[in-house]
Amino acid sequence: MDRRELLKSGLLVAGAAAVGLTGCSKNIPEGNNHDYDTEMPVQKKKFEISTPLPFNYDLIDEMEAMNNLYKKSKITTVYNNMPLPFAGEFNGFFACQRGVNNDIKSYADFGKYVKYAQKKGFEFIYLLNSPKAFSGRDFRFRAKKFYELLDFLHDYGCKNIKVGNTQVATLINEYKHKFDLYASTAFEFHNTLQYINLVKNYPNIKGFDLAIDENRNFPFMRNMHKLFPDKKLEVITQEPCIMGCPARVSHDSSDFKFFDCSKVRDNIVDICKPNKIYPWTLAYYQDAGIRSFKMTAWPLRANITYTYFLRNYLDCVEYDVNKSNMSFQFFLNQIFLMASRYSDDVKLKDVMPYLPDIKRFIKNGDKCASQCGVECTYCDECAAKIKKIMGEK
């Protein structure tokens, strides 16, 4: 759907994005003595957005234009890494590969887009974020290429690298160039002590991408902000991966014999689970100390051909979706990148009162890890009510 069609859909109408959700009837046990005001927090400043770097000048220009359009959000950071087949020699070590781009045949092919984005005012982060562990023999076989890459990043003014395991962080810190490090979601950390110990060993870590299963764990986010007030905390908004994936680390390490999540996927259940961040809730996250919101791309970031994935989400941040005619089908497919086929007759505004209420997680989001599906079925009950609206059994 292009921008003209979005205008026709009624989404782009000015208004405040504060939406009061009623939630469902299930009670989550009280806990955590934090006396939190559950009213919509006041947005303190523009929401900072991190998004993949397209290998396309026109698309970078589009992102610059978005920053002139939106009042509530600003794209501040772009990220990417060498795509396949150029990066094939790494064999999944060092960086998670996200697709193929045959036009990137050299460091210079990659670097020209980095330089262009930097000229437009975007900060760039290079991804060496594979969690795949490797032996000394594995590394020696690829060491020359690895150090060539670090030399390229230094020479092109790329000072930021996002890592996904401590081996890569150590290799970077031992090399002759100095880089700022960021911790990827690929670490899959779920407690504060892991981050405390990580920073003790790597004090040049400037920020963390929190694991997506913690996306509504507000007690955890607030404590992370207390621990690391000067570091950048970031969450992924619309990662299509399922909540509770048992193979998240191994899948990020290799696409060989990966876990078949299609057997457990259920789009309506998945959109209710806590790893999804609804666009109208960002002020709650900012209030908890989250500084940046990371977007994932479709097509995969190696060969992005349009910016709809980004624009659609930021439109929902900017404008009052409760007054739009956006279909729930569009919300699932074009904003949360979930393959689904539903009637366009059911509008998002009809479903919104039955989506999980963010206020439920302000005090109790830390309980999802231990109570989901056992003592608490809140999200599943929300999904069951939405399925009735959608005509599903």
Side-chain angles (χ1 to χ4, degrees):
M1 180 176 283
D2 63 22
R3 195 154 191 85
R4 181 172 297 177
E5 289 175 300
L6 279 173
L7 284 163
K8 288 180 180 177
S9 76
L11 173 61
L12 301 183
V13 290
V19 180
L21 305 182
T22 58
C24 302
S25 59
K26 182 72 175 181
N27 290 320
I28 299 177
E30 287 297 320
N32 196 330
N33 294 326
H34 189 74
D35 185 19
Y36 195 81
D37 182 1
T38 56
E39 294 304 312
M40 172 69 81
V42 175
Q43 182 177 350
K44 299 178 178 67
K45 56 183 179 179
K46 285 190 176 184
F47 302 123
E48 295 181 18
I49 305 298
S50 170
T51 192
L53 169 70
F55 303 128
N56 182 302
Y57 296 127
D58 291 338
L59 296 184
I60 296 172
D61 288 342
E62 280 188 26
M63 296 193 312
E64 181 186 32
M66 289 183 211
N67 280 347
N68 293 325
L69 171 67
Y70 296 124
K71 306 302 181 188
K72 295 182 181 179
S73 62
K74 182 179 181 180
I75 303 162
T76 58
T77 306
V78 292
Y79 64 88
N80 216 322
N81 57 277
M82 300 290 175
L84 296 171
F86 181 66
E89 292 178 80
F90 285 154
N91 193 30
F93 295 106
F94 314 123
C96 296
Q97 301 303 326
R98 293 290 185 266
V100 172
N101 191 322
N102 290 307
D103 293 331
I104 305 298
K105 299 176 182 177
S106 67
Y107 292 130
D109 288 340
F110 185 95
K112 64 185 181 183
Y113 297 108
V114 172
K115 284 292 187 186
Y116 191 77
Q118 289 173 330
K119 261 201 245 180
K120 296 291 183 178
F122 300 113
E123 186 174 27
F124 175 71
I125 297 181
Y126 191 86
L127 304 183
L128 285 174
N129 61 334
S130 172
K132 186 175 184 177
F134 47 89
S135 67
R137 182 175 180 274
D138 292 328
F139 178 68
R140 286 190 291 274
F141 186 70
R142 298 169 177 87
K144 183 174 182 293
K145 286 287 184 185
F146 178 78
Y147 292 127
E148 279 181 3
L149 174 61
L150 294 186
D151 288 338
F152 154 75
L153 294 175
H154 173 266
D155 293 346
Y156 268 74
C158 307
K159 62 179 182 177
N160 306 307
I161 301 179
K162 189 169 290 185
V163 296
N165 74 48
T166 57
Q167 291 175 309
V168 173
T170 298
L171 288 166
I172 293 170
N173 280 358
E174 288 176 348
Y175 197 48
K176 59 185 178 181
H177 305 307
K178 300 302 179 186
F179 294 97
D180 288 336
L181 300 182
Y182 291 81
S184 170
T185 55
F187 274 112
E188 281 297 313
F189 288 167
H190 298 280
N191 66 68
T192 52
L193 191 56
Q194 288 173 305
Y195 286 101
I196 291 170
N197 291 331
L198 185 72
V199 171
K200 284 179 180 177
N201 262 25
Y202 307 99
N204 57 323
I205 289 180
K206 302 300 182 183
F208 313 106
D209 282 5
L210 303 184
I212 63 172
D213 281 7
E214 307 299 338
N215 271 1
R216 292 187 204 159
N217 188 346
F218 283 89
F220 178 68
M221 287 183 275
R222 288 194 297 269
N223 283 333
M224 284 290 292
H225 180 57
K226 289 177 187 175
L227 277 169
F228 306 107
D230 298 327
K231 298 191 185 297
K232 183 177 183 177
L233 300 181
E234 183 172 77
V235 291
I236 301 181
T237 57
Q238 28 64 288
E239 168 65 60
C241 189
I242 61 170
M243 177 81 175
C245 176
R248 189 157 299 133
V249 171
S250 61
H251 191 179
D252 266 349
S253 302
S254 171
D255 60 2
F256 177 69
K257 296 292 182 183
F258 59 83
F259 178 73
D260 184 3
C261 59
S262 66
K263 295 179 180 178
V264 294
R265 280 192 179 277
D266 180 317
N267 282 336
I268 294 180
V269 172
D270 290 347
I271 198 65
C272 292
K273 290 296 183 179
N275 57 329
K276 301 295 187 287
I277 297 180
Y278 306 137
W280 52 87
T281 63
L282 299 195
Y284 288 99
Y285 289 86
Q286 190 180 71
D287 197 52
I290 299 300
R291 284 178 48 194
S292 181
F293 300 88
K294 179 181 174 183
M295 309 295 296
T296 55
W298 189 260
L300 296 173
R301 66 172 182 254
N303 196 10
I304 298 170
T305 53
Y306 53 79
T307 60
Y308 293 163
F309 70 93
L310 174 62
R311 201 187 325 148
N312 293 340
Y313 193 96
L314 296 185
D315 278 343
C316 290
V317 172
E318 188 75 12
Y319 306 105
D320 190 350
V321 293
N322 205 32
K323 294 180 180 178
S324 79
N325 289 317
M326 179 192 292
S327 69
F328 186 55
Q329 158 78 359
F330 183 89
F331 184 70
L332 292 177
N333 284 15
Q334 300 299 323
I335 295 172
F336 280 95
L337 316 179
M338 302 165 71
S340 62
R341 293 184 179 179
Y342 296 111
S343 168
D344 282 334
D345 292 340
V346 179
K347 305 304 179 184
L348 175 61
K349 62 187 176 185
D350 299 326
V351 172
M352 285 177 68
Y354 303 98
L355 287 169
D357 188 343
I358 192 69
K359 297 173 187 176
R360 295 268 183 169
F361 301 91
I362 299 301
K363 290 184 180 180
N364 300 293
D366 56 335
K367 297 180 175 60
C368 295
S370 59
Q371 296 185 0
C372 184
V374 185
E375 296 176 47
C376 178
T377 57
Y378 171 62
C379 293
D380 296 286
E381 290 186 16
C382 292
K385 292 187 178 184
I386 294 171
K387 285 184 178 184
K388 287 183 180 178
I389 297 172
M390 303 302 293
E392 276 194 19
K393 294 182 179 179

